[in-house]
C-alpha cells in the first residue's frame, strides 16, 4: 500500500482529530460562566467575518456582544473574554498534543535526512568508509537555553505528555479526563521562576526525552554504520545554559550554578539506576547478579546521599565492561545489546548529563576585571604592574598573556566582583565532582576585542586554573560591526604565543559564537544572516591558516532565523568555505517542546541535524558560491540593511513598540527569571531591548518584522532595474539563499495585517504602520515571483496547514488582545484616568500573550 502525501496524513491525523477532541473539550462542564464553550465558536466566526469585512478588533468584539450577549453587564463581558482566553490557551495545548502524537505518522521517520537514509545512500554511492571516518570526528551539540519563551508551567507540560500518549492509543476515557484536568489547571505563574526553577523544568526533557533519543541514535550508528564497533566520538551531546548564563541575569549566582550541576548529576544517576534495575532482572546469571546488585546500591546512594559518592565513572564503566565480557564468554551474549546501550549512554552523558556553559557580557567582565586589578594594586600585590591601567590595549594583552599567580578572594568587597570570581571557582568545583565535560566553556557575549578574551583568560588562571586551564573561551560576536571585526580579533589571538599554547592543549579547537540575539535586531534579516555567513568564511580561512579547527556555535538569533525556519536545511546549505566538523546551536523556549519534546520528534530532528552536517561534507555538488552570485548577495544584504536601518531610525520606531505592541507586558508574565531589558532606565532605549521581547512583540502584532523587513526593498531594486533574473539565478543556484528565502516566507505566513489595519488611521502611528505594511506586501509579492509560487510555503503544504490551523485557533485571542490594547490607549488619553479599568485591560493583554506565543511555537 502506497504512503499517502504528507498533507493528507496531516489532515487525517491532526486536523480531523483536533475537530473531534475539541468538540469534546468545548462541552465539558468545568465552566463557571455558562455556555462559554458554545459561545467561543460564535465569537471565532464573528472575528473571521469581521476581518474579512475590514472591521477593526474593537468593532468585532462589540458586534459579538451586541448580537449574542446584549444583556450581559460590562463586568460579565470582561469575565467572558477572560474565559475565552483560558479556553483558547487549552485549545493550543490540545493541538500541540495531537500534533506530537501524529509526528511519526505525518513525518517519514526513515525518509530523507534520517540516519537510515544517510546510511543507504552512503552504501549505494560506495561511501560507507568515508561516512564512518566523518562520524569519528563530527559532532552535533544542541544547547538548551533559559530564555523565557516557554510559557507552559510544569503541570501543563505533564498533561501534554499524558494527552499525547492517550491520543496515540485513541483512549477516549483517558482523553476526556485529561481535557477536564486541563480545563481546571492554571497556566499563569504568580511568581517569577528562579534560574534554578528554569533549570529543573529543562532537566525534565533531559531525563524523559534526550536520555532515550540520544541513546537510540547512538545505538543505531554503532550497530548499523559501524557494525557494532566502539566509536571514540560521542557524536551528539547537550549543552545547558540555565544556572550558568549570567548575562543580564543578576539572579544567577555561583551557588545556583553549583546547585544546577548537582541536580544534573543526580538526574543522570537516577536514569542509570533505572536502567541497572531493568538489566539486573535480565542478568540473573551466576557471578553477574551480585555485581549488578552492588552497582544498583552504589547508584542509589549516589543520588540519595548528601555525602560525596564513592562511585567513579571509571569504576562504573569498567564494571559494566567486565559484566559484558562475562556475558559474551560465558552466556552466549544474552542481553548484550542492552549492556551496550547502557555503555553508550555512559559515554554520552558521563556523570554530568549536560555541559553547563557559563556566559557573561564583556562589559560586565571589563568592569569586574578593572575593579579586581585596582584592588590588587592597592593591596600591594605584584601580579599586575602598578601602571597597568595606563598601558595601551596591546601592552595590557601582553601582560595578561604572561599572567602568573593566584589571588585571595577575601580581598574583594564588591558583590559583583566576588560573584564573578566565585563563578570561576565554581567551574573548577564542578569539574572535580562531575568531570571536566560538566563545565568547560565560558562564553563572552558582546565580545569586541582581543582584550575582552584575555581579561577572562587571566581571571580564569588567577582564580582557579593556575596550573592548567581546562576551560575553553568562546567569544560571541553579535552586532554587524563585531562580525566584521571578528577575524582580526581571532588572528590576534591565534598569533599570541600563550593563547596558542592554551589552544594546543585543548586540541587546537576554538569555539566562536555568532550573531546570537542582536544580529537580526541590529542588522535586519538578510544582512544579519549574510554577515554571519561571510564572517564564518573569513573565520574559517584565518583558523585554517593557523591550523586551528573552528567550531561555530549558532545562536537562535543567527542563521536558523528569527522566523523559526528549518534549521537542518540551513546547515545542509553551507559550502566548503565554512568549517563544518561540528554543528552547535541554541534551542530555546517552545522550540524545545515543539522540535524535541517527544522521543519521536527529538530523534527525527536530531537525525536531520546530524545528516545535514554530514551531507554538506559528502555532497560533491556542494560548491562555494560563485563570484557573480556573491556580488548579488552582497548587494541584496546592503540594500536590505539600508532599508532596515532607516526603518529603525524612524522617530516612531520605539514609541510604536512601546505603545502599540505588547512589549512592556512581557515583564509582567512571570515566565523568565531574567529582566526583560538590559538597562536600568525607565525610558525605553532600543539598545537595551532584549531580542526575545523585541521579536515576540512583532509576532504578537502579527507583523513579524525581524523575518522579512528589507527583503522586499532589496528585491524591488533588482526588479526596477530589470535585473530580477540575477536574483532568480542566485535563488536557483544557492542553497544558502534558498533557505533564507524559505525561512522568510514562513515569517510572512505568520503575519496577518488585517488585525492591525485600524492603526493606518491613527494620527500618530498611521504612517509608520503603512511603512511596515508596504514592505510586507512588496516582500510577499516578490518572494512569490522569485520562487514561482502562487502562495507562501507552497512547497511545504503540511507545514503551512499547521501554521494556518494554529493561526485560526488564536485569531479570537489576537482580537481580544488588540481590543484590550486599544481600550488602554483610550483610557490613558482620558482626562481622568480610571486606574482600575486600565489594570483590567492590562491583565487581558498579559494573559493573552501565553496562547499566542505557544501557538507560534518557533516565533522567537
Amino acid at each position: 500500500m502506497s504512503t499517502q502525501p504528507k498533507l493528507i496524513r496531516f489532515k487525517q491525523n491532526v486536523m480531523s482529530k483536533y475537530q473531534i477532541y475539541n468538540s469534546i473539550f468545548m462541552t465539558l462542564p468545568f465552566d463557571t460562566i455558562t455556555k462559554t464553550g458554545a459561545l467561543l465558536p460564535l465569537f471565532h466566526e464573528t472575528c473571521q467575518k469581521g476581518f474579512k469585512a475590514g472591521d477593526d478588533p474593537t468593532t468585532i468584539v462589540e458586534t459579538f456582544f451586541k448580537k449574542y450577549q446584549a444583556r450581559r453587564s460590562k463586568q460579565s463581558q470582561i469575565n467572558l473574554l477572560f474565559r475565552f482566553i483560558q479556553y483558547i490557551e487549552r485549545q493550543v495545548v490540545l493541538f500541540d498534543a495531537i500534533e506530537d502524537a501524529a509526528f511519526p505518522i505525518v513525518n517519514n521517520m526513515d525518509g530523507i535526512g534520517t540516519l537510515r537514509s544517510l546510511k543507504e545512500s552512503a552504501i549505494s554511492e560506495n561511501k560507507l568508509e568515508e561516512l564512518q571516518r566523518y562520524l569519528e570526528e563530527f559532532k552535533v551539540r544542541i544547547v538548551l537555553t533559559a530564555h523565557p519563551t516557554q510559557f507552559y508551567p510544569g503541570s501543563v507540560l505533564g498533561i501534554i505528555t499524558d494527552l499525547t500518549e492517550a491520543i496515540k492509543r485513541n483512549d477516549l476515557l483517558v482523553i476526556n479526563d485529561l481535557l477536564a484536568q486541563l480545563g481546571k489547571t492554571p497556566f499563569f505563574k504568580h511568581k517569577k521562576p528562579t534560574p534554578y526553577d528554569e533549570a529543573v523544568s529543562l532537566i525534565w526533557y533531559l531525563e524523559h526525552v534526550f536520555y532515550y533519543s540520544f541513546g537510540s541514535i547512538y545505538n543505531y550508528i554503532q550497530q548499523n554504520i559501524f557494525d557494532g564497533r566502539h566509536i571514540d566520538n560521542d557524536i551528539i551531546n547537550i549543552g545547558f545554559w540555565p544556572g550558568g548564563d549570567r548575562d543580564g541575569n543578576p539572579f544567577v549566582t555561583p551557588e545556583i550554578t553549583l546547585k544546577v550541576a548537582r541536580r544534573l548529576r543526580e538526574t543522570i544517576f537516577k536514569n542509570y539506576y533505572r536502567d541497572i534495575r531493568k538489566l539486573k532482572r535480565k542478568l540473573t546469571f551466576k557471578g553477574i547478579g551480585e555485581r549488578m546488585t552492588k552497582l544498583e546500591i552504589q547508584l542509589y546512594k549516589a543520588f540519595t546521599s548528601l555525602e560525596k559518592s564513592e562511585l567513579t565513572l571509571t569504576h562504573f564503566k569498567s564494571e559494566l565492561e567486565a559484566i559484558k565480557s562475562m556475558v559474551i564468554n560465558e552466556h552466549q551474549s544474552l542481553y548484550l545489546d542492552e549492556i551496550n546501550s547502557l555503555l553508550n549512554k555512559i559515554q554520552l552523558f558521563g556523570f554530568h548529563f549536560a555541559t553547563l556553559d557559563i556566559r557573561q557580557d564583556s562589559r560586565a567582565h571589563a568592569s569586574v576585571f578593572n575593579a579586581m586589578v585596582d584592588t590588587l594594586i592597592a593591596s600591594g600585590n605584584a601580579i599586575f604592574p602598578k601602571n597597568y591601567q595606563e598601558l595601551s590595549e596591546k601592552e595590557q594583552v601582553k601582560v595578561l598573556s604572561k599572567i602568573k599567580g593566584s589571588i585571595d578572594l577575601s580581598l574583594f568587597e564588591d558583590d559583583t566582583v566576588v560573584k564573578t570570581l566565585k563563578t570561576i571557582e565554581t567551574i573548577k568545583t564542578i569539574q572535580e565532582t562531575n568531570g571536566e565535560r560538566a563545565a568547560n566553556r565560558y562564553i563572552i557575549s558582546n565580545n569586541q576585542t582581543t582584550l575582552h578574551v584575555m581579561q577572562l583568560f587571566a581571571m580564569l588562571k588567577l582564580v582557579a586554573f593556575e596550573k592548567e586551564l581546562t576551560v575553553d573561551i568562546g567569544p560571541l560576536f553579535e552586532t554587524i560591526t563585531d562580525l566584521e571585526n571578528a577575524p582580526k580579533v581571532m588572528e590576534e589571538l591565534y598569533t599570541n604565543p600563550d593563547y596558542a599554547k592554551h589552544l594546543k592543549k585543548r586540541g587546537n579547537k576554538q569555539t566562536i559564537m555568532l550573531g546570537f540575539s542582536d544580529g537580526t535586531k541590529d542588522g535586519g534579516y538578510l544582512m544579519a544572516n549574510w554577515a554571519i555567513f561571510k564572517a564564518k568564511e573569513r573565520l574559517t580561512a584565518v583558523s585554517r591558516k593557523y591550523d586551528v579547527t573552528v567550531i561555530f556555535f549558532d545562536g537562535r538569533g543567527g542563521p536558523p532565523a528569527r522566523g523559526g525556519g528549518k534549521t537542518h536545511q540551513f546547515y545542509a546549505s553551507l559550502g566548503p568555505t565554512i568549517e563544518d566538523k561540528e554543528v552547535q546551536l541554541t534551542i530555546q523556549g517552545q522550540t524545545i517542546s515543539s522540535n524535541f519534546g517527544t522521543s519521536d520528534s527529538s530523534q527525527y530532528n536530531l537525525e536531520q541535524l546530524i545528516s545535514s552536517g554530514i551531507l554538506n561534507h559528502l555532497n560533491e555538488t556542494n560548491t562555494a558560491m560563485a563570484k557573480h552570485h556573491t556580488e548579488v548577495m552582497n548587494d541584496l544584504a546592503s540594500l536590505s540593511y539600508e532599508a532596515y536601518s532607516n526603518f529603525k531610525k524612524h522617530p516612531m520606531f520605539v514609541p510604536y513598540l512601546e505603545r502599540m505592541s505588547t512589549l512592556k507586558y512581557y515583564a509582567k508574565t512571570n515566565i523568565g527569571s531574567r529582566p526583560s531589558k538590559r538597562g536600568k532606565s525607565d525610558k525605553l532605549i532600543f539598545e537595551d531591548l532584549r531580542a526575545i521581547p523585541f521579536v515576540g512583540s512583532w509576532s504578537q502584532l502579527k507583523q513579524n518584522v525581524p523575518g522579512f523587513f528589507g527583503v522586499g526593498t532589496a528585491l524591488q531594486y533588482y526588479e526596477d532595474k530589470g535585473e530580477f533574473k540575477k536574483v532568480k539565478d542566485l535563488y536557483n543556484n544557492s542553497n544558502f539563499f534558498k533557505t533564507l528565502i524559505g525561512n522568510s516566507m514562513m515569517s510572512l505566513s505568520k503575519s496577518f495585517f488585517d488585525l492591525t489595519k485600524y492603526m493606518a488611521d491613527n494620527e500618530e502611528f498611521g504612517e509608520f504602520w503603512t511603512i511596515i505594511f508596504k514592505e510586507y506586501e512588496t516582500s510577499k509579492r516578490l518572494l512569490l515571483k522569485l520562487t514561482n509560487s502562487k502562495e507562501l510555503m507552497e512547497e511545504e503544504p503540511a507545514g503551512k496547514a499547521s501554521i494556518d490551523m494554529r493561526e485560526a485557533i488564536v485569531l479570537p485571542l489576537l482580537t481580544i488582545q488588540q481590543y484590550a490594547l486599544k481600550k488602554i490607549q483610550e483610557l490613558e488619553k482620558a482626562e481622568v484616568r480610571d486606574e482600575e479599568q486600565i489594570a483590567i485591560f492590562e491583565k487581558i493583554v498579559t494573559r493573552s500573550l501565553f496562547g499566542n506565543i505557544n501557538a507560534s511555537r518557533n516565533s522567537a
Side-chain angles (χ1 to χ4, degrees):
M1 186 179 158
S2 62
T3 307
Q4 290 173 312
K6 191 173 181 178
L7 180 60
I8 302 291
R9 300 199 303 272
F10 180 83
K11 284 180 175 176
Q12 288 175 346
N13 294 282
V14 179
M15 293 172 81
S16 298
K17 280 191 175 181
Y18 174 75
Q19 301 300 346
I20 295 163
Y21 294 136
N22 186 46
S23 62
I24 296 169
F25 172 66
M26 298 295 266
T27 56
L28 287 173
F30 50 68
D31 192 7
T32 53
I33 291 179
T34 54
K35 297 180 183 173
T36 306
L39 289 169
L40 183 53
L42 293 172
F43 182 56
H44 190 276
E45 187 186 18
T46 309
C47 293
Q48 282 181 318
K49 284 181 177 175
F51 285 122
K52 220 170 190 176
D55 293 339
D56 62 84
T58 305
T59 305
I60 289 167
V61 172
E62 287 172 353
T63 301
F64 168 76
F65 282 125
K66 198 173 177 182
K67 191 172 178 182
Y68 298 107
Q69 295 288 294
R71 293 180 182 175
R72 275 190 190 270
S73 67
K74 286 288 178 193
Q75 184 57 50
S76 179
Q77 287 179 4
I78 293 290
N79 289 345
L80 183 62
L81 291 180
F82 274 115
R83 293 303 297 175
F84 281 165
I85 291 169
Q86 289 175 296
Y87 262 67
I88 296 161
E89 280 175 340
R90 285 152 180 79
Q91 285 179 314
V92 173
V93 169
L94 175 60
F95 191 79
D96 279 348
I98 291 167
E99 205 167 30
D100 286 345
F103 191 93
I105 303 165
V106 173
N107 296 281
N108 185 350
M109 302 299 280
D110 293 321
I112 293 166
T114 62
L115 287 173
R116 184 171 176 175
S117 167
L118 184 68
K119 183 200 78 171
E120 285 172 358
S121 108
I123 289 169
S124 69
E125 292 172 32
N126 205 23
K127 286 184 177 178
L128 187 61
E129 282 186 17
E130 197 179 339
L131 175 60
Q132 288 172 346
R133 272 198 308 277
Y134 199 66
L135 279 168
E136 278 166 355
E137 57 177 20
F138 177 74
K139 289 179 193 283
V140 168
R141 179 184 294 190
I142 58 168
V143 180
L144 308 185
T145 77
H147 292 305
T149 52
Q150 175 55 271
F151 287 75
Y152 295 140
S155 54
V156 175
L157 286 172
I159 295 170
I160 294 175
T161 304
D162 295 343
L163 196 52
T164 301
E165 288 307 311
I167 289 165
K168 277 182 184 175
R169 300 190 306 270
N170 286 316
D171 191 331
L172 207 55
L173 284 173
V174 173
I175 290 167
N176 199 67
D177 286 349
L178 286 165
L179 289 174
Q181 182 188 346
L182 188 65
K184 292 175 174 291
T185 302
F187 276 42
F188 189 73
K189 294 174 184 174
H190 293 286
K191 278 197 321 189
K192 279 175 84 71
T194 66
Y196 183 69
D197 294 335
E198 289 172 332
V200 169
S201 70
L202 286 188
I203 289 171
W204 186 92
Y205 290 101
L206 297 181
E207 182 178 0
H208 298 285
V209 180
F210 292 121
Y211 182 75
Y212 301 99
S213 60
F214 274 49
S216 180
I217 289 168
Y218 199 81
N219 290 346
Y220 181 90
I221 292 171
Q222 187 187 56
Q223 294 304 318
N224 296 280
I225 297 175
F226 285 86
D227 292 324
R229 293 201 317 273
H230 173 75
I231 318 161
D232 282 329
N233 182 21
D234 57 7
I235 302 171
I236 39 176
N237 55 67
I238 313 170
F240 203 77
W241 276 18
D245 183 8
R246 293 173 53 80
D247 183 8
N249 194 339
F251 308 113
V252 177
T253 62
E255 292 74 27
I256 289 282
T257 306
L258 209 51
K259 198 175 172 187
V260 169
R262 277 196 207 107
R263 181 66 175 246
L264 284 164
R265 179 181 165 94
E266 283 166 16
T267 308
I268 194 60
F269 280 147
K270 274 186 202 171
N271 282 44
Y272 291 153
Y273 174 72
R274 290 187 197 117
D275 274 1
I276 283 288
R277 279 177 66 87
K278 284 177 197 165
L279 253 180
K280 186 185 154 195
R281 290 184 68 176
K282 294 177 179 180
L283 302 179
T284 50
F285 322 132
K286 190 181 174 186
I288 292 180
E290 298 86 344
R291 294 176 89 155
M292 290 298 291
T293 300
K294 201 171 178 185
L295 278 179
E296 181 190 0
I297 292 164
Q298 286 175 323
L299 282 164
Y300 183 76
K301 276 185 181 173
F303 69 83
T304 55
S305 172
L306 292 172
E307 295 170 31
K308 190 182 172 185
S309 168
E310 290 176 13
L311 181 66
T312 65
L313 187 60
T314 309
H315 174 70
F316 188 28
K317 279 162 83 172
S318 64
E319 269 299 280
L320 274 175
E321 288 287 359
I323 289 165
K324 177 181 167 180
S325 293
M326 289 171 76
V327 164
I328 293 168
N329 297 324
E330 299 168 31
H331 305 287
Q332 294 76 48
S333 297
L334 199 55
Y335 300 122
L336 181 62
D337 285 350
E338 284 89 336
I339 300 169
N340 276 330
S341 177
L342 181 52
L343 280 165
N344 286 341
K345 284 170 183 164
I346 294 165
Q347 179 166 336
L348 290 174
F349 304 119
F351 278 1
H352 63 285
F353 214 159
T355 299
L356 195 58
D357 282 344
I358 308 298
R359 183 172 79 122
Q360 182 56 290
D361 190 284
S362 63
R363 291 162 292 194
H365 273 157
S367 170
V368 164
F369 183 81
N370 289 322
M372 179 191 81
V373 171
D374 291 343
T375 303
L376 287 170
I377 291 170
S379 72
N381 190 303
I383 288 174
F384 290 93
K386 285 182 180 176
N387 66 337
Y388 176 82
Q389 301 289 24
E390 285 84 58
L391 298 176
S392 68
E393 207 166 289
K394 203 173 179 181
E395 288 168 325
Q396 285 184 346
V397 167
K398 204 172 176 182
V399 169
L400 300 179
S401 305
K402 306 283 182 193
I403 207 83
K404 278 191 173 66
S406 61
I407 56 176
D408 178 5
L409 264 56
S410 65
L411 277 174
F412 307 101
E413 292 175 8
D414 183 282
D415 189 48
T416 310
V417 173
V418 172
K419 278 181 180 171
T420 304
L421 300 181
K422 276 197 171 173
T423 297
I424 291 169
E425 259 189 354
T426 302
I427 300 171
K428 183 78 167 173
T429 305
I430 294 168
Q431 287 191 0
E432 285 165 356
T433 54
N434 296 14
E436 192 197 301
R437 284 194 296 164
N440 62 3
R441 183 163 71 179
Y442 203 128
I443 309 289
I444 312 171
S445 46
N446 193 45
N447 195 92
Q448 294 166 340
T449 64
T450 306
L451 183 62
H452 285 153
V453 173
M454 295 313 292
Q455 283 173 340
L456 177 59
F457 179 80
M459 283 194 285
L460 286 164
K461 293 188 92 170
L462 290 172
V463 175
F465 296 93
E466 188 184 359
K467 289 176 185 169
E468 187 185 3
L469 181 52
T470 52
V471 179
D472 298 319
I473 300 171
L476 162 51
F477 301 100
E478 300 194 52
T479 65
I480 304 302
T481 307
D482 292 346
L483 289 167
E484 284 170 4
N485 292 336
K488 178 177 167 283
V489 170
M490 295 317 300
E491 184 150 31
E492 285 175 6
L493 287 167
Y494 294 154
T495 53
N496 179 312
D498 298 280
Y499 190 79
K501 195 174 164 187
H502 162 65
L503 276 186
K504 198 172 182 184
K505 284 181 182 173
R506 305 296 295 164
N508 264 350
K509 289 182 176 179
Q510 172 67 55
T511 300
I512 300 175
M513 196 173 178
L514 295 169
F516 183 50
S517 294
D518 288 333
T520 313
K521 196 185 102 190
D522 181 56
Y525 179 69
L526 273 187
M527 177 55 95
N529 283 285
W530 183 234
I532 289 166
F533 185 91
K534 286 197 298 181
K536 280 187 173 180
E537 285 194 318
R538 289 161 62 218
L539 287 164
T540 298
V542 76
S543 300
R544 286 173 179 171
K545 180 180 169 184
Y546 295 100
D547 199 26
V548 173
T549 301
V550 64
I551 296 160
F552 292 118
F553 178 16
D554 291 312
R556 183 77 179 106
R562 276 289 176 185
K566 300 285 184 186
T567 309
H568 56 273
Q569 284 178 9
F570 172 83
Y571 287 110
S573 76
L574 300 177
T577 53
I578 290 175
E579 196 68 77
D580 63 351
K581 287 204 175 79
E582 290 199 29
V583 166
Q584 293 197 11
L585 74 158
T586 59
I587 308 286
Q588 66 199 36
Q590 76 280 41
T591 310
I592 298 171
S593 56
S594 63
N595 288 1
F596 301 95
T598 66
S599 292
D600 289 324
S601 63
S602 172
Q603 184 157 340
Y604 180 82
N605 285 305
L606 279 165
E607 287 190 21
Q608 293 285 328
L609 274 175
I610 293 167
S611 78
S612 69
I614 292 168
L615 280 171
N616 183 38
H617 177 76
L618 296 180
N619 187 353
E620 288 166 10
T621 58
N622 189 23
T623 53
M625 198 182 282
K627 190 170 181 262
H628 61 284
H629 289 147
T630 304
E631 285 167 4
V632 174
M633 191 67 228
N634 266 327
D635 212 16
L636 289 170
S638 299
L639 290 161
S640 169
Y641 181 53
E642 188 184 356
Y644 179 75
S645 297
N646 290 336
F647 172 62
K648 209 169 65 174
K649 286 175 195 163
H650 195 287
M652 287 296 121
F653 187 91
V654 172
Y656 180 80
L657 277 174
E658 194 170 20
R659 283 157 50 200
M660 303 301 276
S661 84
T662 57
L663 183 71
K664 63 185 179 186
Y665 299 96
Y666 269 77
K668 299 177 182 181
T669 54
N670 291 331
I671 51 166
S673 66
R674 199 165 68 159
S676 61
K677 66 188 186 75
R678 286 186 175 89
K680 291 178 182 176
S681 166
D682 290 337
K683 193 181 171 191
L684 188 64
I685 300 161
F686 179 77
E687 286 69 28
D688 287 346
L689 281 181
R690 291 209 172 277
I692 284 166
F694 174 74
V695 174
S697 298
W698 290 115
S699 174
Q700 297 274 327
L701 281 166
K702 290 293 149 194
Q703 293 174 0
N704 288 328
V705 158
F708 73 82
F709 202 95
V711 176
T713 300
L715 294 175
Q716 190 171 9
Y717 173 82
Y718 273 84
E719 185 186 51
D720 291 347
K721 271 177 71 179
E723 293 181 352
F724 201 71
K725 63 181 181 187
K726 284 187 178 179
V727 188
K728 278 210 164 192
D729 189 40
L730 171 66
Y731 179 79
N732 292 327
N733 289 282
S734 166
N735 286 333
F736 171 75
F737 185 57
K738 193 173 279 185
T739 305
L740 286 191
I741 293 302
N743 289 348
S744 191
M745 288 175 96
M746 189 184 282
S747 272
L748 291 166
S749 293
K750 293 178 180 180
S751 297
F752 181 60
F753 277 82
D754 285 352
L755 179 72
T756 55
K757 196 156 61 177
Y758 72 91
M759 292 181 188
D761 300 323
N762 185 289
E763 206 174 292
E764 203 174 353
F765 295 106
E767 181 213 336
F768 187 75
W769 183 90
T770 305
I771 290 169
I772 303 167
F773 181 57
K774 279 183 177 171
E775 185 65 22
Y776 160 79
E777 285 200 308
T778 305
S779 299
K780 183 178 174 181
R781 177 179 69 80
L782 290 171
L783 286 180
L784 291 174
K785 181 179 176 179
L786 177 65
T787 57
N788 292 323
S789 304
K790 289 187 176 68
E791 60 176 27
L792 295 168
M793 293 183 71
E794 199 170 84
E795 291 181 6
E796 292 181 73
K800 189 178 188 318
S802 175
I803 287 171
D804 290 347
M805 193 72 188
R806 287 173 176 278
E807 296 300 322
I809 292 168
V810 295
L811 184 66
L813 197 58
L814 292 162
T815 310
I816 292 167
Q817 187 183 78
Q818 283 298 318
Y819 167 74
L821 282 167
K822 190 86 169 56
K823 283 285 181 191
I824 293 164
Q825 289 159 21
E826 287 169 9
L827 288 161
E828 284 180 339
K829 282 178 185 170
E831 284 183 28
V832 181
R833 280 172 66 95
D834 187 335
E835 298 294 348
E836 196 179 328
Q837 281 295 300
I838 289 172
I840 288 167
F841 286 110
E842 283 188 335
K843 192 178 176 187
I844 288 176
V845 173
T846 305
R847 290 289 286 111
S848 61
L849 285 168
F850 299 89
N852 287 335
I853 282 285
N854 283 326
S856 295
R857 275 202 155 183
N858 56 8
S859 63

